[in-house]
Amino acid sequence: QSSLSLYSRWSMSSRNFALAAYSSQVVWHSVRLKLIDPIDLNTKLVSRDATYKISSTYSSYPPLPSLLTGEGKYHGYRGYHAFCTDREPKPNVTIDLKKSEVIRRIIIENRRDSYNRYMVQLDVEVSSTGKTWRKIWQSEASKPTWTVDLKTPARARFMRITLAGTGSYKSSRGMSLALRGVKIYADR
């Protein structure tokens, strides 16, 4: 006589759902399903091979490739950010995708230190030339991560993220922009 138990588990971070039926001695059946976001089927990650430049560099925090790759070194002993600009009015990071893409989703990972609360108003702009810019999104509040699904896809080679507002932080010198990651998804 063996008893039957059902085990299920949902993992939000990996979007996996596991279901298994167990008897007292063996696993009878096990199924693992990965939920796929519909945008994943029609898009590709284009920022991984891109390059970027920042409007200025704060002391010993030069730009690291980890901003666009999500791998490797970060600044700070807990991996706070991939770059940090100097304090200036409207600091920004400009990403060059190397060719024109139809952008559908942008994921921006905020810095992971106590200054992240000042990353209040981020403006995202796109350009085909890197000279004239068109705003496609603006944040309303500071968050650990912003996921931007564009209702109207934007064709562009360049993307610029600007810190346009810092909430309660006021300084005549402005504020530093520091981010941990940027992922840009475009049409396949």
Side-chain angles (χ1 to χ4, degrees), residues 104 148-153:
R104 295 200 174 265
V148 182
D149 288 319
L150 299 175
K151 291 178 182 160
T152 304

Side-chain angles (χ1 to χ4, degrees), residues 50-64:
T51 58
Y52 76 98
K53 62 181 182 175
I54 54 179
S55 55
S56 62
T57 302
Y58 178 75
S59 84
S60 60
Y61 296 128
L64 297 174

Side-chain angles (χ1 to χ4, degrees), residues 43-49 68-69 182-186 188:
T43 63
K44 62 186 175 188
L45 179 65
V46 295
S47 52
R48 184 176 265 298
D49 297 322
L68 302 173
T69 65
V182 177
K183 292 181 181 177
I184 303 167
Y185 294 87
R188 287 195 180 273

Side-chain angles (χ1 to χ4, degrees), residues 8 43 46-47 59 63 65 78 81 90 92 100 126 133 137 158 181:
S8 67
T43 63
V46 295
S47 52
S59 84
R78 291 190 177 163
H81 45 75
K90 300 196 179 197
N92 65 74
S100 183
V126 293
W133 297 90
W137 179 79
F158 299 94

